Amino acid sequence: MTTTATAPWIYVEKIGGYDGQVVTLKGWLYNKRSSGKLHFLQVRDGTGVIQCVVFKGDVSPEVFELAGGITQESAVMVTGTVKKDDRSPIGFELGVSDVTLVNPAAEYPITPKEHGVAFLMDHRHLWLRSSRQHAIIRIRAEIIRAIRDYFDDNGFTLIDSPIFTPNACEGTSNLFETDYFENKAYLTQSGQLYVEAAAAAFGKVYCFGPTFRAEKSKTRRHLTEFWMVEPEMAYFDLAMDMDLAEDFVCHIVQQVLKHRRAELEVLERDISKLEAIQKPFPRITYDEAIEILRAAGNEDTPWGEDFGGDEETIISQKFDKPVLIHRYPAEIKAFYMKQDPENAKLALNVDMIAPEGYGEIIGGGQREDDLDVLLSKLKTHELPEEAFSWYLDIRKYGSVPHAGFGLGVERTVAWICGLHHVRETIPFPRLMDRLSP
RNA sequence: UCCUCAGUAGCUCAAUGGUAGAGCAUGCGACUGUUAAUCGCAGGGUUGCAAGUUCGAGUCUUGCCUGAGGAGCCA
């Protein structure tokens, strides 16, 4: 008992620096096994899990009995001596001298056995405590840090774009409508138009925040609320845009490999596949992508349509790195994409398809910078000119070539973690049929 | 919106149209090295909802609800 008052509180991930010392851990009981005169308490504290060994001869009878009766996920504080042990996955155990029950847990619904997806999703608030979900969310946090660091360290200014937007700007995509006092407002599907304006003010900018799509999509690649980072650069053309996207994705992968290797191992990710993500990435045109599909047996793949999930998978399996596909038919791309001066049917856009069938993680390109061309494109797309007057001003007052792209955070996390479905890549996913917890 | 499959104990699943079962979890007990510990005992059920066929329905039929997988949709 006396040791509790004096032992320093440390976190499991720092335990290696305290070999032989008496420390206190504050956390929750992850699992427990008992063997007569021994209780093995698996204690997690948010940074890791450590086995705490309670030997009957080392503690008071009261503490031994208490330790044997603690239920899964009860809040506990454990004091003991840090001991090196080769049997431990983290290399250390705690030889317990005292245990304090902070608060007991009621019967915990998530047991160490298998569970169905629906059940786990209903208990997402508790599921986050399990080691696999813990690893995913820490990797997500690392990816987000890598994203911010990359742009902050390379001369970009953060520009927060609005969540409420006045119009259903870009046509085909379904937006969430909200009541905005006397008017309608929509949740943003992209900050892109706003970062274009900001690029003319700051040169290189990026926005980073949630985006919303009301599509009735029920696939492993779709969420209704997801996070997107969108850099936009003045005086950049398509080739420079692709160079940046490539360098950016390499940086993210390297940071995860450097700082979150243990979490990748929890997920049993094939790390060699991530180590292979080095510049340069293959770059093919839309035309070449069509040829790959036709050669792979899809002989009747038509020219002029966007690729579905299956087609992206076939293309990505030809390469062991992300592949950049550029110059799609202008007709299937957004109005603001600049048309290829060498072929009016093509847009100067680029999609990056992740390896291993994870699909599109980046979409972007060079923007139309000619006022007259943009005006005629608005007409062809049947979009209201007056709603875009501020956007047209960017072309009116000192228009320059500029380019950018958007990277979907959840698809990137799914790829790097090797997950089947994006619903595990965000703490509280929002799907077509799921709004809680 | 369409197609396919599923719904039985807290969870994961079994049960030829004929007595409702197991493992895990929970409770009690045994064990000094367990790694999803093991072993013994115990409690735990409106078989998603509604109707129908039948002597008899968890099982067959119809409708509905919920979920999963896939497709479509998705600057």
Side-chain angles (χ1 to χ4, degrees):
Chain A
M1 287 297 193
T2 49
T3 51
T4 305
T6 53
W9 171 27
I10 63 149
Y11 284 97
V12 173
E13 68 180 355
K14 304 285 185 193
I15 202 96
Y18 294 84
D19 189 19
Q21 298 181 42
V22 176
V23 301
T24 293
L25 303 173
K26 302 185 182 185
W28 297 262
L29 187 70
Y30 193 64
N31 200 2
K32 184 188 69 186
R33 284 176 288 273
S34 289
S35 177
K37 293 175 179 154
L38 284 169
H39 296 308
F40 300 98
L41 309 180
Q42 316 292 325
V43 174
R44 60 169 193 86
D45 73 348
T47 70
V49 180
I50 188 168
Q51 174 157 282
C52 303
V53 183
V54 187
F55 177 49
K56 198 169 187 176
D58 288 349
V59 296
S60 69
E62 294 77 26
V63 166
F64 188 76
E65 195 183 330
L66 172 73
I70 301 173
T71 55
Q72 188 188 357
E73 287 302 326
S74 291
V76 290
M77 293 193 290
V78 184
T79 299
T81 308
V82 179
K83 292 176 181 169
K84 242 185 202 138
D85 195 307
D86 292 339
R87 289 167 290 192
S88 163
I90 62 167
F92 294 92
E93 287 187 343
L94 197 74
V96 175
S97 55
D98 193 20
V99 177
T100 306
L101 179 62
V102 179
N103 269 307
E107 187 176 336
Y108 195 64
I110 302 179
T111 66
K113 285 272 181 172
E114 290 170 27
H115 297 283
V117 175
F119 175 81
L120 290 170
M121 275 299 175
D122 285 342
H123 296 83
R124 182 62 175 170
H125 51 295
L126 302 176
W127 191 20
L128 291 172
R129 303 182 182 193
S130 69
S131 59
R132 190 181 155 77
Q133 298 307 311
H134 186 265
I136 293 167
I137 297 304
R138 284 195 119 189
I139 291 171
R140 175 192 172 94
E142 186 67 40
I143 287 169
I144 288 171
R145 177 160 61 183
I147 287 168
R148 293 193 187 284
D149 285 351
Y150 183 86
F151 292 120
D152 292 344
D153 294 345
N154 284 284
F156 286 73
T157 300
L158 173 68
I159 299 295
D160 299 310
S161 56
I163 304 286
F164 287 124
T165 57
N167 325 92
C169 280
E170 297 183 21
T172 52
S173 185
N174 292 313
L175 305 186
F176 287 104
E177 190 180 296
T178 69
D179 178 32
Y180 196 79
F181 305 108
E182 303 297 301
N183 296 301
K184 285 174 183 172
Y186 302 87
L187 300 186
T188 183
Q189 60 174 323
S190 166
Q192 197 224 301
L193 303 189
Y194 296 97
V195 287
E196 279 190 56
F202 298 87
K204 292 196 288 185
V205 301
Y206 73 102
C207 69
F208 189 25
T211 45
F212 308 88
R213 298 208 182 158
E215 299 301 336
K216 294 189 171 176
S217 296
K218 252 190 77 174
T219 82
R220 79 183 82 152
R221 291 197 259 258
H222 288 88
L223 297 168
T224 53
E225 176 182 317
F226 62 98
W227 285 64
M228 192 155 66
V229 58
E230 294 172 276
E232 189 75 28
M233 298 75 65
Y235 290 104
F236 267 50
D237 62 13
L238 178 63
M240 297 161 81
D241 197 34
M242 289 197 278
D243 288 345
L244 182 82
E246 182 182 83
D247 192 58
F248 172 57
V249 169
C250 285
H251 178 260
I252 293 172
V253 172
Q254 278 156 22
Q255 290 302 302
V256 173
L257 284 171
K258 193 172 167 189
H259 300 296
R260 289 289 170 248
R261 196 167 280 260
E263 282 79 4
L264 290 171
E265 280 162 9
V266 167
L267 300 173
E268 295 175 326
R269 182 68 166 106
D270 184 347
I271 288 171
S272 69
K273 290 221 163 93
L274 295 178
E275 285 169 337
I277 308 305
Q278 303 280 345
K279 289 194 282 184
F281 294 170
R283 298 182 187 191
I284 61 174
T285 62
Y286 175 87
D287 288 359
E288 287 162 345
I290 292 283
E291 280 169 30
I292 287 172
L293 290 170
R294 287 178 180 164
N298 303 39
E299 281 153 31
D300 50 356
T301 306
W303 192 96
E305 286 180 21
D306 211 344
F307 301 130
D310 293 343
E311 285 136 344
E312 287 178 353
T313 300
I314 292 167
I315 295 164
S316 76
Q317 283 168 349
K318 295 276 166 199
F319 306 95
D320 55 3
K321 297 178 188 180
V323 53
L324 294 154
I325 307 176
H326 55 95
R327 293 179 168 82
Y328 281 58
E331 224 172 68
I332 55 169
K333 286 293 165 185
F335 75 95
Y336 50 73
M337 292 291 188
K338 188 171 177 62
Q339 71 181 36
D340 188 346
E342 291 176 13
N343 183 345
K345 281 188 172 175
L346 302 179
L348 290 179
N349 80 298
V350 59
D351 282 358
M352 186 187 290
I353 312 293
E356 301 169 72
Y358 281 98
E360 182 186 337
I361 52 171
I362 279 181
Q366 194 172 333
R367 320 305 187 188
E368 184 53 67
D369 48 39
D370 185 285
L371 181 61
D372 294 330
V373 176
L374 200 54
L375 280 167
S376 75
K377 286 230 180 126
L378 282 175
K379 282 203 182 75
T380 1
H381 285 78
E382 294 175 346
L383 292 166
E385 195 183 307
E386 55 288 358
F388 290 92
S389 63
W390 68 268
Y391 183 69
L392 294 166
D393 275 357
I394 303 163
R395 280 71 184 171
K396 214 163 144 187
Y397 302 106
S399 187
V400 295
H402 61 290
F405 60 83
L407 173 130
V409 169
E410 286 73 19
R411 288 183 182 181
T412 305
V413 176
W415 162 49
I416 290 176
C417 290
L419 306 178
H420 178 70
H421 200 298
V422 291
R423 66 188 157 209
E424 289 179 60
T425 64
I426 184 165
F428 295 96
R430 291 292 172 259
L431 298 136
M432 189 180 126
D433 296 318
R434 180 165 295 279
L435 191 56
S436 73

